[in-house]
């Protein structure tokens, strides 16, 4: 009975971690991914923003269509304004002793292209979790 209970707990935790957090709005600047909340820190440096629906993404943002469930925000900074540092998901995999090409999950969204750049400031928590028998990084962007 105890074994069955543990199997059930592992299954439920896998299901919960695999679900997309659709309350997170993703934003793109300079071909790197962040969250809309993260860019609030830079509101005085932002020249303009544009929100695109999944069906109306411009060609340079189509590679991020899997993040556009709630729309995708494109950020443009003022000239000579400071902006956050970024790193690739393959670097995060490498830092966590995982193969560089291993998919990474951010708020339940699966990033298969690990050359994708993300902004450091959006990362609240990183966990390495077993997902379908394979260890993957799961990133949370929600700050408490």
């Amino acid at each position: 009975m105890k074994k069955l209970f543990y199997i059930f707990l592992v299954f439920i935790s896998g299901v919960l971690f695999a679900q997309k957090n659709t309350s997170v709005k993703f934003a793109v600047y300079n071909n790197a991914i962040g969250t809309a909340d993260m860019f609030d820190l830079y509101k005085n440096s932002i020249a303009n923003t544009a929100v695109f629906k999944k069906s109306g993404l411009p060609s340079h943002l189509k590679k991020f269509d899997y993040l556009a469930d709630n729309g995708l925000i494109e950020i443009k900074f003022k000239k000579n304004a400071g902006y956050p540092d970024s790193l690739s998901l393959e670097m995060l995999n490498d830092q966590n002793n995982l193969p560089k090409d291993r998919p990474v999950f951010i708020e339940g969204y699966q990033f298969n292209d690990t050359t994708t750049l993300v902004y450091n400031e959006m990362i609240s928590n990183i966990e390495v979790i077993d997902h379908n028998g394979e260890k993957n990084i799961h990133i949370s962007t929600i700050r408490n």
Side-chain angles (χ1 to χ4, degrees):
M1 186 67 172
K2 205 183 246 189
K3 234 181 198 180
L4 187 60
F5 178 70
Y6 287 122
I7 291 171
F8 177 73
L9 282 178
V10 169
F11 175 75
I12 291 300
S13 66
V15 168
L16 290 176
F17 281 115
Q19 290 187 357
K20 293 179 182 179
N21 182 352
T22 55
S23 67
V24 173
K25 284 205 172 250
F26 288 100
V28 177
Y29 168 70
N30 201 23
N31 213 28
I33 300 295
T35 60
D37 292 341
M38 180 209 101
F39 282 105
D40 284 345
L41 298 171
Y42 296 91
K43 60 184 164 196
N44 293 333
S45 300
I46 293 175
N48 65 8
T49 61
V51 180
F52 298 99
K53 292 186 179 196
K54 192 172 196 164
S55 61
L57 287 174
S59 60
H60 68 283
L61 294 178
K62 288 209 185 280
K63 65 182 174 183
F64 301 119
D65 69 339
Y66 60 99
L67 301 175
D69 291 342
N70 288 336
L72 187 64
I73 301 167
E74 183 176 31
I75 307 281
K76 295 200 178 176
F77 278 89
K78 295 175 184 171
K79 197 171 193 163
N80 299 324
Y83 54 89
D85 293 327
S86 61
L87 75 157
S88 70
L89 295 175
E90 65 186 0
M91 287 175 62
L92 282 175
N93 275 334
D94 194 41
Q95 290 172 2
N96 288 279
N97 299 318
L98 296 173
K100 288 184 179 182
D101 62 345
R102 181 76 45 94
V104 173
F105 292 84
I106 301 176
E107 293 296 347
Y109 290 83
Q110 184 172 336
F111 287 69
N112 292 320
D113 180 4
T114 58
T115 62
T116 300
L117 297 173
V118 297
Y119 290 108
N120 300 346
E121 290 183 30
M122 84 167 182
I123 299 172
S124 171
N125 188 37
I126 296 176
E127 291 183 89
V128 176
I129 296 175
D130 193 312
H131 179 75
N132 294 334
E134 180 175 270
K135 291 194 182 295
N136 296 89
I137 291 176
H138 289 253
I139 296 174
S140 173
T141 65
I142 307 299
R143 302 210 187 274
N144 295 334

